[in-house]
Amino acid sequence: MATNFLVHEKIWFDKFKYDDAERKFYEQMNGPVTAGSRQSSGPGASSGPGGDHSELVVRIASLEVENQNLRGVVQDLQQAISKLEARLSTLEKNSPAHRATAPQTQHVSPMRQVEPPAKKAATPAEDDEDNDIDLFGSDEEEEDKEAARLREERLRQYAEKKAKKPSLVAKSSILLDVKPWDDETDMAQLEACVRSVQLDGLVWGGSKLVPVGYGIRKLQIQCVVEDDKVGTDLLEEEITKFEEHVQSVDIAAFNKI
């Protein structure tokens, strides 16, 4: 921008060439300038063709020096302007606004705008295919319903069969030691009291009298109980209610069946 302005500016860069040609012309006309003529061209020298020539030469020399200085200044200005333009272009490229707008200016082309494809009208053949797909979907729905019904029916039958099948009942075999108060206790009456305890899930088994010492015998009696219905604590509590005959009840053996 500034360089183009200086190009069109009316500066006489080749003036020194014309000055040299003019000096040579006058030297050929008047002869070369000598030292004596230069001395006589001082302030008191008389005016004449020689004095005018020397004055002209001095002015030409001063103009040449001034012209060279101006050329140096112009070159320095041109270099400074070039550096400023390069720096300005670099700043513009690195600025965020330039980055945001640069892709749009580079890639947007009005001639290449892609229009969305128009929705194609359905043909009769495609309508028939859609109808076939819907019918197929209906068949699948019917099959799914039938499969769900069969699954529910089988689950119901399995639940009924499982309910009819007797479940495994956990049972235990217990051997009890029932001790009387003394040797005068009626052991037959004591056994009758023990067997009189009737509970749901309790079945009495065999029994025998085992000597303890000093003429005293204890009653060992077997029973089978269902674990969920009868516990050992409940069984001992029911037997010890017969305080007149029973002193204590101990568990001699306990086995799972």
Side-chain angles (χ1 to χ4, degrees):
M1 168 174 66
T3 307
N4 295 332
F5 176 77
L6 292 174
V7 169
H8 296 289
E9 186 69 13
K10 295 181 180 180
I11 300 175
W12 196 357
F13 293 101
D14 298 332
K15 184 177 182 302
F16 68 94
K17 296 181 180 180
Y18 296 94
D19 293 337
D20 291 339
E22 185 179 5
R23 180 174 53 78
K24 290 178 180 180
F25 173 76
Y26 284 110
E27 286 179 353
Q28 291 177 0
M29 293 293 294
N30 301 321
V33 179
T34 61
S37 62
R38 289 181 181 176
Q39 292 176 359
S40 63
S41 62
S46 60
S47 61
D52 294 338
H53 177 70
S54 62
E55 184 180 357
L56 182 60
V57 170
V58 172
R59 291 184 63 186
I60 289 172
S62 64
L63 290 173
E64 287 179 355
V65 173
E66 186 178 356
N67 189 19
Q68 289 179 358
N69 294 333
L70 288 174
R71 281 191 295 169
V73 171
V74 171
Q75 289 178 359
D76 294 337
L77 289 174
Q78 288 179 349
Q79 291 179 359
I81 291 170
S82 300
K83 291 180 180 179
L84 288 174
E85 288 179 349
R87 185 175 180 183
L88 181 61
S89 62
T90 303
L91 291 174
E92 288 178 354
K93 290 179 181 179
N94 294 332
S95 62
H98 180 75
R99 292 179 181 176
T101 57
Q104 297 178 0
T105 57
Q106 291 178 0
H107 298 286
V108 173
S109 178
M111 300 300 294
R112 296 183 180 179
Q113 291 181 353
V114 180
E115 296 181 356
K119 187 176 180 181
K120 185 173 66 175
T123 59
E126 292 178 351
D127 293 338
D128 294 339
E129 291 179 358
D130 294 339
N131 294 332
D132 293 341
I133 292 173
D134 292 337
L135 292 174
F136 185 73
S138 300
D139 294 339
E140 286 184 351
E141 291 178 359
E142 292 179 358
E143 291 179 358
D144 293 340
K145 291 180 180 179
E146 182 66 18
R149 188 184 63 80
L150 291 175
R151 183 171 60 254
E152 291 177 358
E153 181 67 21
R154 290 176 181 176
L155 289 174
R156 185 181 60 80
Q157 292 177 359
Y158 175 76
E160 292 179 354
K161 184 177 180 181
K162 187 176 181 180
K164 292 179 181 179
K165 184 178 180 180
S167 59
L168 183 63
V169 179
K171 295 182 180 181
S172 299
S173 175
I174 302 175
L175 181 63
L176 297 175
D177 283 346
V178 183
K179 296 178 181 179
W181 288 103
D182 49 28
D183 57 347
E184 295 180 356
T185 302
D186 187 356
M187 299 302 296
Q189 184 64 31
L190 186 146
E191 182 177 356
C193 291
V194 171
R195 290 183 180 274
S196 66
V197 176
Q198 299 294 326
L199 298 172
D200 185 17
L202 170 64
V203 178
W204 293 107
S207 64
K208 65 179 180 177
L209 297 176
V210 179
V212 178
Y214 302 102
I216 301 174
R217 295 179 297 175
K218 65 180 180 180
L219 174 67
Q220 274 192 349
I221 186 168
Q222 186 80 26
C223 67
V224 176
V225 298
E226 295 182 8
D227 295 341
D228 294 339
K229 297 179 179 180
V230 180
T232 56
D233 294 337
L234 176 62
L235 193 60
E236 291 178 8
E237 182 181 354
E238 292 294 327
I239 294 174
T240 53
K241 288 181 179 180
F242 303 100
E243 297 177 354
E244 295 180 358
H245 300 85
V246 178
Q247 179 189 4
S248 62
V249 178
D250 297 326
I251 298 175
F254 186 96
N255 297 313
K256 290 287 187 180
I257 299 177

